[in-house]
Amino acid sequence: MARLVYSLLFYLLTPLILLRLLWRSRLAPEYRRRWGERFGFVTDIPSVRQVIWVHSVSVGETLAAVPMIRELQRRYPHALLAVTTMTPTGSARVKAVFGDSVYHVYAPYDLPCVLRRFLKRLHPDLLVIMETELWPNLIHCCQEQQIPVVVANARLSANSAKGYRKFAALTSPMLGCINTIAAQHQADGERFLSLGLSAQQLVVTGNIKFDLDIDDELKQRAAELRSQWRGTSGRPVLLAASTHRGEDDIVLDAFARLLEHYPHLLLVLVPRHPERFDEVARLCEARKLQVVRRSGGVVPDCGDQVLLGDTMGELLLFFGACDIAFVGGSLVPVGGHNLIEPAAWQVPVLSGPQLFNFVEASRLLLQADGMAICEDATTIAAKVAELLASPETAARMGAAAKSVADNNRGALERLLAVIERQLLPR
């Protein structure tokens, strides 16, 4: 009954959802394209083909899924990997990383008629959902058609668990339809259990974001970029990564304080969402800062103060080219972004206090003295100044961060074992 009411509400709200897509397309035109895919009108896959469907919401989940998808392609060379996303930025990442080696479309809306159309055309042998993108009708339709469902790298914050608990009549039956939830950490698993998941459905595999592969080619590119940014004077580089509205001003306030003592410091500022690139450029220009844009292909010279990272897919490279990294989404209630990427590059990690998406990773990094929490512009400036004044302290902090990244690898192999158990041979 609860799912029926949910479905009726979803049908009624669909016109508003489409209006929202149109509204968002003012700044990101891709939101007005490929609507048919969202309603299940996708290209048919021949029924003889084995299909592994991986669903990731946006950029973060897609990047986390990349090593898993590549390994699935290697282990199941005759299977077709179908990768769905919800956002244009996620879609762009899939296309950039995998090209035509995967079948990629937008995920269907959680409406029964749409899902049945989509599943008929895709006929997946397995659905792997990245992190916690749980949709009641999607999971019910998969069970109805005997399609196993694995939730990979699953996380569930206390606040999210509270939200799911309010809709227990919908949540509990949905969880009962899932074959396996592969949780990042024990605390995540316990929250799923408190919502009605059975112990037999739960496996704690760890966070696959620790299984980051930085190859030699990327290391070489990072070294070249670092040399360009530092220039002949060896200027230090501060990276502010994945910032959200409300954070850019704080970062720029901190940067203004730092320029008083480190006038040659280069700030590489990378907004999380591409539709904000121009907005952030205007913020910098309003402060009379000399700004160059990465998309322009210009190497910043000694007179340039801010490099705006207005390209997609280069953030991992940027982490390898900076001296200190501040990770955004953490000064506003977003929950933080990937702390593991800078740690893997042996870079000192700074963050705001809002870290509910990376509770365990932040705990490990803080415990090892590989990262520091900064509450505002004053504390960001003070910590950066401390690290710039003492290269030895910065080196120790970076080494501690890398040891955390290295010591927590192995989740990917455990997750692949879970997937193998659910994927029936063809």
Side-chain angles (χ1 to χ4, degrees):
M1 183 63 182
R3 192 170 57 80
L4 175 61
V5 173
Y6 160 82
S7 299
L8 288 172
L9 285 172
F10 206 129
Y11 278 115
L12 291 171
L13 290 171
T14 298
L16 295 179
I17 293 169
L18 297 179
L19 285 173
R20 184 171 181 268
L21 289 181
L22 283 174
W23 179 258
R24 297 189 73 176
S25 72
R26 294 174 308 113
L27 298 176
E30 282 300 315
Y31 275 107
R32 74 173 69 105
R33 302 188 178 106
R34 297 164 55 193
W35 281 12
E37 294 176 10
R38 299 183 187 273
F39 288 93
F41 293 103
V42 298
T43 305
D44 290 41
I45 297 174
S47 58
V48 294
R49 193 81 187 268
Q50 184 181 40
V51 177
I52 303 172
W53 176 15
V54 177
H55 174 56
S56 59
V57 186
S58 190
V59 175
E61 295 84 2
T62 301
L63 291 175
V66 167
M68 180 192 74
I69 293 169
R70 284 181 172 150
E71 187 60 21
L72 288 171
Q73 288 178 315
R74 189 187 70 79
R75 294 188 183 196
Y76 304 96
H78 302 297
L80 176 63
L81 268 293
V83 184
T84 59
T85 64
M86 297 294 288
T87 67
T89 51
S91 176
R93 279 294 82 220
V94 173
K95 292 176 180 177
V97 174
F98 295 108
D100 295 330
S101 71
V102 302
Y103 173 102
H104 168 64
V105 292
Y106 283 133
Y109 285 140
D110 200 41
L111 299 167
C113 64
V114 170
L115 289 162
R116 291 190 180 101
R117 180 186 304 120
F118 183 86
L119 292 174
K120 182 179 179 181
R121 298 182 179 203
L122 202 72
H123 60 83
D125 294 81
L126 173 71
L127 167 59
V128 180
I129 299 172
M130 293 303 298
E131 300 201 358
T132 317
E133 183 73 358
L134 303 179
W135 294 96
N137 283 323
L138 169 60
I139 292 169
H140 172 80
C141 287
C142 283
Q143 188 200 45
E144 193 176 60
Q145 299 191 26
Q146 298 183 317
I147 300 166
V149 176
V150 172
V151 183
N153 214 44
R155 57 182 172 85
L156 188 66
S157 69
N159 283 340
S160 295
K162 186 185 295 185
Y164 278 114
R165 200 169 287 113
K166 290 178 181 177
F167 301 96
L170 198 60
T171 299
S172 185
M174 176 180 68
L175 292 177
C177 295
I178 295 171
N179 294 72
T180 305
I181 288 185
Q184 289 186 17
H185 307 292
Q186 191 62 42
D188 297 300
E190 288 171 0
R191 292 187 190 108
F192 280 112
L193 293 174
S194 74
L195 294 175
L197 189 76
S198 72
Q200 291 73 32
Q201 294 170 277
L202 177 68
V203 178
V204 177
T205 53
N207 189 344
I208 65 172
K209 290 181 179 178
F210 280 111
D211 290 275
L212 180 65
D213 181 27
I214 301 175
D215 59 32
D216 290 339
E217 187 268 339
L218 185 61
K219 289 177 182 177
Q220 178 61 34
R221 287 173 55 207
E224 292 170 358
L225 187 61
R226 177 179 171 82
S227 178
Q228 290 177 5
W229 285 354
R230 289 175 66 84
T232 55
S233 65
R235 69 193 302 194
V237 178
L238 169 63
L239 170 64
S242 297
T243 57
H244 288 251
R245 184 174 284 115
E247 293 185 308
D248 307 287
D249 279 314
I250 297 173
V251 169
L252 290 171
D253 285 345
F255 183 56
R257 294 168 187 255
L258 287 162
L259 286 177
E260 295 175 10
H261 302 285
Y262 298 93
H264 301 297
L265 177 65
L266 175 67
L267 172 65
V268 180
L269 182 55
V270 185
R272 178 70 174 182
H273 299 113
E275 58 266 30
R276 296 191 57 246
F277 290 159
D278 290 341
E279 172 191 330
V280 175
R282 289 192 293 271
L283 282 177
C284 296
E285 289 161 358
R287 292 169 177 259
K288 310 299 183 187
L289 293 168
Q290 290 297 115
V291 184
V292 292
R293 300 178 72 137
R294 173 68 175 172
S295 60
V298 178
V299 177
D301 62 28
C302 60
D304 295 318
Q305 297 164 304
V306 179
L307 172 64
L308 181 66
D310 61 344
T311 54
M312 296 298 294
E314 291 197 299
L315 190 54
L316 183 59
L317 172 68
F318 290 177
F319 280 127
C322 71
D323 295 288
I324 302 166
F326 173 84
V327 181
S330 56
L331 291 168
V332 291
V334 170
H337 292 299
N338 196 334
L339 304 167
I340 299 166
E341 290 183 348
W345 279 106
Q346 200 165 325
V347 171
V349 184
L350 306 183
S351 171
Q354 300 277 359
L355 288 166
F356 52 82
N357 287 335
F358 285 86
V359 172
E360 183 64 11
S362 61
R363 184 189 69 80
L364 292 169
L365 286 165
L366 286 167
Q367 190 176 59
D369 293 326
M371 74 173 285
I373 300 293
C374 303
E375 303 278 347
D376 50 26
T378 302
T379 50
I380 292 172
K383 191 62 186 180
V384 173
E386 176 191 337
L387 295 172
L388 292 177
S390 175
E392 298 82 7
T393 301
R396 282 196 302 272
M397 191 172 173
K402 189 173 191 307
S403 70
V404 170
D406 290 343
N407 293 337
N408 285 276
R409 297 174 69 88
L412 178 58
E413 194 60 37
R414 292 187 287 272
L415 173 59
L416 289 165
V418 171
I419 292 172
E420 185 176 4
R421 289 195 292 271
Q422 296 295 339
L423 189 60
L424 299 175
R426 274 284 190 124

